Amino acid sequence: MSQFIQLTETFLGDYPVLEIFQSLCRYMRNGYVETEEEKMTRLMKAHREVQQLKQRQRIDNLFERWDNEGSGYLEIEEVETIAHKYKDGLERQAINRAKYRTLQKAKQATGQTDTRLTKSEFRDLIYTICDEIPGDNTFEFFVDFVESCVERTYAEKIRGEARKKWLSQIITSADTSAASLETVYRSVFQALYRDAETHGGGKVISANIAMHEQNNKEPARGEYCLRYIAATSDDSAFLLNQVLYKDMPGISFAAVESGKPLHVPRVSNHGNIHFFNPNRAEDDRDGSFVVIPLKDKRKRVFGTLGVDTLRDPHTKSIFITHEIQFYQGISKAFSISYHKVDSKRKTLRITESAISWICRRSEFVHEINVYLVEPDGKDEDYVLRRMMLAQGEKDVKTFYMPSRLERKDNLFRDYLFKCVDNSDTVTADAYGQRHFAFPLRGGDGRAIAVIDISTGEVKAMPKHERKEILRMLKLVQKAQKEINKESLDGERTMVLEAEKENEDVRIEVMFDRLMLMDLRKNVAKLDVRAYAELKSYKDPPQVIHNILKSTLSLFYPEKAKKKEFDDWGACKMLINSELNNKIVAFDPTAEGSENIPADEIGAPLKDIPHGVVAKHSSVPAEYLYNWIFVCLSLIQHTKRMRLNESKIERARSMLRTGLTPDTTARDDDE
């Protein structure tokens, strides 16, 4: 189809005449005749696709029936035991081959060895078994047999339905959370409370969630640590923000390393559990404790879910198998929700960087609003959550309790909903202002956010300004594409030195990095003739002289200190291919970049609006102007980041020596 469309577009040209286009359509409709062979091929393909869909649905239903507690996994030994009974064990070798192939494929995809099957892996196993076993209708016979072996009692079915409903509510909470994890935490703990009351014999439980992090604070105590970020109300006072190190007692790191749940039936008899509550008495440590590892799509552990019954007054409050299986389902639902919210937060962060740039560079932009698209909770429509507002060069305002915009209550903002419906740019007038609504698209092409740019009473922006805004919006979409890809395969793109330092910094500079890469590409295309244009000036416009002065000051600081670049002749001597190579290779976040005097280098550009550069029609000067601005922004950002890190490290070292930051600050002042 794509080849046909490309061929048609090539034939018609970029701007086809309407009459010619309509004539071509009539000719194609009337002249095309499907041969009998093509018709049969099409029908067979359609029939095959329907059969594959039915088989997929049947396998998925079998998985859901088998996984009654909603854990999201099936033990391969359990599946293997039932499969080996097929035809009284005659197909045992074929099933073993299929098992080996499936596990190898899963290991290649995730890099992990796991004896539990996800839904997709279970589907692969069934298909592979049917491929290995010879004969017609093998799929039907084999699946019929397995279905007959997997039966649930009425009580088990009721319990499974209730639990899966609670798990779906956790995932829904992420979709409607306005990029907040608080709602997700609440849904997780509510599901645990309900299940303990309904299916756990009325147990009194406590729960917590910890993140697996790089241990930068005390590396001598282990490369990684667990930081507790959420806990039920009874434990929150002494557990939140606490850190568990590897050299401390506990089973959490064993669960992280094995990737499997660990259960301590009697905490008082274990002897290797760390208690963050110093006031808990020795005789008050009876109860059961289970740790479930939290895994991402590639089965990498990123945290733990802990559940205990230490507050339960009953002496026999031990977790049983179906409860632990449900807790695994909770951990999987939380993992899905966590990564959904994380993806939304990344989207908002890169969008914040983009709209800050747009406001700084576009004098005709009145204000910019950013909306997230979320389900309305009734499965009827969607709502828009107003997340950010940018006005002029002020700091971007983020709304932590964002308002909900519903279609029926916002008739004059209908252009926003049209933008989402069509996943396309919409221009409209509302409340006496011109608005341009741009969609940010997810992996499926649907709008997940809307950037609403208002130019006030200005109906049409200057060409250079509109071009610049479109370029930045294109880069935002490119950054969003990176985030979509990361959420699917977990692979991260890291080009700059700062991006390798930690995840927060990587997202912080992602948009600037994409701008830098785009400008590097443009600068790399400049040839000798382009630079000859700059060198041809005997007495250049002050704007162009200042741009070259700032660019050269970045690479030749000693010459800049001596004011050599005030002389245009000195600047001309350094406009060559070597300068081009320096620009393409320069990393403004590399070690030592925080010592670059960004304010001094940027001083000649301080009062030069972007529009003034565009008016000179000098492509090299425009590229260099944009490039130096992005570099200075990244240099300043890196400087702030590393200054903050050094302050934190200094505070930590003072605390270790018994001093306080306030005391040291006073000593420094004296």
Side-chain angles (χ1 to χ4, degrees), residues 560-606:
K561 282 181 184 178
K562 296 175 183 177
K563 305 290 184 183
E564 290 186 23
F565 298 134
D566 289 346
D567 176 24
W568 174 245
C571 293
K572 283 171 64 174
M573 294 289 292
L574 296 170
I575 301 174
N576 50 38
S577 58
E578 184 184 349
L579 175 63
N580 195 76
N581 295 336
K582 284 178 179 287
I583 289 171
V584 172
F586 182 66
D587 181 352
T589 69
E591 189 174 350
S593 62
E594 63 271 20
N595 300 321
I596 295 173
D599 292 336
E600 294 176 22
I601 292 171
L605 308 176
K606 193 173 181 181

Side-chain angles (χ1 to χ4, degrees), residues 274-335:
H274 181 79
F275 294 92
F276 283 99
N277 182 1
N279 300 320
R280 187 180 291 278
E282 289 289 338
D283 56 357
D284 191 25
R285 297 185 176 185
D286 198 18
S288 188
F289 178 45
V290 62
V291 178
I292 312 289
L294 301 172
K295 297 183 178 183
D296 61 15
K297 284 185 177 180
R298 301 185 69 187
K299 296 187 178 182
R300 296 174 300 189
V301 177
F302 68 92
T304 59
L305 168 68
V307 188
D308 67 72
T309 58
L310 294 176
R311 293 183 180 276
D312 196 322
H314 302 93
T315 54
K316 293 184 179 179
S317 53
I318 297 173
F319 296 115
I320 54 181
T321 303
H322 71 79
E323 290 179 286
I324 296 174
Q325 287 176 340
F326 175 61
Y327 297 158
Q328 288 179 268
I330 291 272
S331 72
K332 184 169 185 180
F334 174 77
S335 175

Side-chain angles (χ1 to χ4, degrees), residues 594-630:
E594 63 271 20
N595 300 321
I596 295 173
D599 292 336
E600 294 176 22
I601 292 171
L605 308 176
K606 193 173 181 181
D607 299 319
I608 303 176
H610 180 257
V612 173
V613 182
K615 286 177 183 176
H616 286 281
S617 301
S618 173
V619 173
E622 196 168 350
Y623 285 165
L624 292 176
Y625 175 79
N626 290 328
W627 178 83
I628 192 69
F629 254 106
V630 174

Side-chain angles (χ1 to χ4, degrees), residues 381-607:
D381 201 356
Y382 58 85
V383 297
L384 299 175
R385 304 292 290 265
R386 188 185 183 211
M387 303 302 298
M388 286 187 287
L389 168 66
Q391 293 177 308
E393 295 191 14
K394 299 177 185 176
D395 290 339
V396 177
K397 185 177 181 181
T398 302
F399 301 104
Y400 295 102
M401 297 183 67
S403 56
R404 285 163 54 104
L405 273 67
E406 297 188 30
R407 193 190 298 263
K408 62 182 181 181
D409 300 328
N410 291 274
L411 297 177
F412 293 107
R413 290 195 178 95
D414 188 52
Y415 66 93
L416 294 172
F417 294 90
K418 285 182 179 177
C419 175
V420 176
D421 291 341
N422 301 322
S423 192
D424 202 3
T425 304
V426 173
T427 303
D429 291 316
Y431 302 102
Q433 296 183 351
R434 175 57 58 94
H435 290 262
F436 303 89
F438 299 87
L440 273 184
R441 302 177 184 89
D444 58 359
R446 296 180 182 180
I448 58 172
V450 178
I451 301 174
D452 179 18
I453 299 177
S454 169
T455 57
E457 297 179 357
V458 177
K459 301 299 181 185
M461 289 182 287
K463 186 178 178 181
H464 70 271
E465 193 163 307
R466 183 178 177 83
K467 181 182 175 183
E468 184 70 6
I469 290 174
L470 289 173
R471 184 176 73 87
M472 292 191 190
L473 290 169
K474 184 179 177 182
L475 290 174
V476 178
Q477 186 58 60
K478 190 173 181 180
Q480 182 59 45
K481 194 174 179 181
E482 269 193 32
I483 291 172
N484 296 337
K485 187 174 182 296
E486 283 177 18
S487 66
L488 288 175
D489 58 25
E491 293 296 328
R492 294 177 171 86
T493 302
M494 289 183 280
V495 178
L496 302 179
E497 197 65 36
E499 292 182 287
K500 301 170 187 176
E501 296 185 11
N502 64 61
E503 181 67 6
D504 290 338
V505 173
R506 189 179 71 84
I507 299 302
E508 193 83 17
V509 302
M510 181 184 283
F511 180 76
D512 287 21
R513 183 254 295 167
L514 287 170
M515 286 186 69
L516 182 67
M517 298 304 293
D518 185 57
L519 289 164
R520 277 184 183 177
K521 194 187 300 181
N522 290 333
V523 170
K525 291 177 183 176
L526 296 176
D527 54 14
V528 177
R529 285 181 297 175
Y531 286 115
E533 174 202 322
L534 293 176
K535 297 177 80 170
S536 65
Y537 286 113
K538 290 184 179 179
D539 185 16
Q542 191 60 43
V543 171
I544 291 177
H545 189 175
N546 286 356
I547 291 169
L548 263 296
K549 189 191 296 186
S550 290
T551 304
L552 294 169
S553 298
L554 196 58
F555 299 116
Y556 304 99
E558 294 302 322
K559 292 179 181 289
K561 282 181 184 178
K562 296 175 183 177
K563 305 290 184 183
E564 290 186 23
F565 298 134
D566 289 346
D567 176 24
W568 174 245
C571 293
K572 283 171 64 174
M573 294 289 292
L574 296 170
I575 301 174
N576 50 38
S577 58
E578 184 184 349
L579 175 63
N580 195 76
N581 295 336
K582 284 178 179 287
I583 289 171
V584 172
F586 182 66
D587 181 352
T589 69
E591 189 174 350
S593 62
E594 63 271 20
N595 300 321
I596 295 173
D599 292 336
E600 294 176 22
I601 292 171
L605 308 176
K606 193 173 181 181
D607 299 319

Side-chain angles (χ1 to χ4, degrees), residues 165-177 183-184 187 337 340 344 375 377 379:
K165 179 183 175 183
W166 296 332
L167 294 176
S168 69
Q169 287 173 348
I170 294 173
I171 296 172
T172 301
S173 70
D175 293 330
T176 58
S177 65
T183 312
V184 178
S187 297
S337 302
K340 280 188 174 187
K344 286 183 181 182
D379 294 330

